[in-house]
């Protein structure tokens, strides 16, 4: 059974599509694409249908990472459809948890909702900062954090799968 992973930020044009792209890139490198369904969404609807921010696409491209998704807004069904929802900051986390409460989605039936930075091992970070209003260095820093966190996430999910389904 495939693991379903959703990355969430505010507008789904910088951080969450970059996290999606970084995670997909790691899956390709480890030949694990067939074990996962990966997507991203925003808590807001301002950018629905648009590509990731040009500056983030360019920064990712320099690292060999392609960002091809189109922005979409988080929906209540996502709470049931995905196994893991990873948020970029405390505000995103609060909004996703609020959506779960508003829609009365029992925690036993919904995705595991948590901050993505929980999986960082090289960086100590409380959140993935929004680079939208900053310069190029902000986009690079976000990608550094995402590469660290997504690597840790992949290790954790692989470990989780191994514990649930030990090989004979």
């Amino acid at each position: 059974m495939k693991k379903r992973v959703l990355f969430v930020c505010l507008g789904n044009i910088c951080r969450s599509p970059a996290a999606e792209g970084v995670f997909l890139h790691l899956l390709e490198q480890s030949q694990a694409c067939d074990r996962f369904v990966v997507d991203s969404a925003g808590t807001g609807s301002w950018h629905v249908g648009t590509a990731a921010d040009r500056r983030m696409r360019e920064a990712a491209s320099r690292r060999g990472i392609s960002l091809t998704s189109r922005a979409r807004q988080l929906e209540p069904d996502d709470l049931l459809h995905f196994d893991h929802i990873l948020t970029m900051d405390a505000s995103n986390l609060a909004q996703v948890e609020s959506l779960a409460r508003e829609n009365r989605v029992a925690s036993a039936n919904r995705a595991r909702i948590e901050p993505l930075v929980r999986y960082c091992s090289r960086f100590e970070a409380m959140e993935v900062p929004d680079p939208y209003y900053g310069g190029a260095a902000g986009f690079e820093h976000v990608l550094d954090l995402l590469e660290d966190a997504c690597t840790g996430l992949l290790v954790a999910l692989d470990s989780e799968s191994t514990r649930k389904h030990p090989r004979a």
Side-chain angles (χ1 to χ4, degrees):
M1 188 135 128
K2 291 185 178 191
K3 288 219 180 273
R4 298 176 179 278
V5 179
L6 179 67
F7 298 100
V8 176
C9 71
L10 182 61
N12 194 216
I13 60 167
C14 288
R15 297 172 291 171
S16 57
E20 176 186 359
V22 166
F23 196 69
L24 287 169
H25 183 73
L26 292 171
L27 292 176
E28 287 174 21
Q29 289 180 327
S30 62
Q31 298 177 333
C33 291
D34 60 331
R35 297 189 346 244
F36 291 89
V37 172
V38 183
D39 198 1
S40 63
T43 57
S45 63
W46 313 279
H47 303 290
V48 169
T50 63
D53 183 278
R54 174 190 50 80
R55 297 165 295 172
M56 185 56 86
R57 288 193 321 264
E58 290 171 357
S61 180
R62 286 191 292 274
R63 296 176 187 222
I65 299 167
S66 178
L67 306 183
T68 59
S69 65
R70 294 280 174 175
R72 71 175 187 87
Q73 187 173 13
L74 181 69
E75 299 175 359
D77 284 350
D78 291 330
L79 297 164
L80 300 170
H81 180 71
F82 288 92
D83 302 308
H84 297 270
I85 297 179
L86 293 306
T87 62
M88 301 300 132
D89 62 34
S91 175
N92 306 145
L93 179 64
Q95 288 180 298
V96 175
E97 289 174 338
S98 176
L99 183 67
R101 283 190 306 276
E102 289 169 9
N103 289 276
R104 295 187 172 98
V105 180
S107 59
N109 300 329
R110 67 169 166 82
R112 181 177 179 178
I113 303 165
E114 59 188 338
L116 179 59
V117 294
R118 175 177 182 262
Y119 294 96
C120 284
S121 62
R122 293 182 303 137
F123 293 97
E124 282 190 36
M126 297 300 292
E127 66 180 23
V128 178
D130 191 344
Y132 188 80
Y133 294 105
F139 290 90
E140 295 298 334
H141 177 64
V142 164
L143 286 168
D144 290 341
L145 287 172
L146 294 176
E147 286 176 345
D148 183 22
C150 286
T151 298
L153 175 63
L154 182 55
V155 169
L157 294 178
D158 278 344
S159 175
E160 183 180 289
S161 292
T162 302
R163 282 193 310 273
K164 287 183 179 178
H165 306 287
R167 292 193 170 113

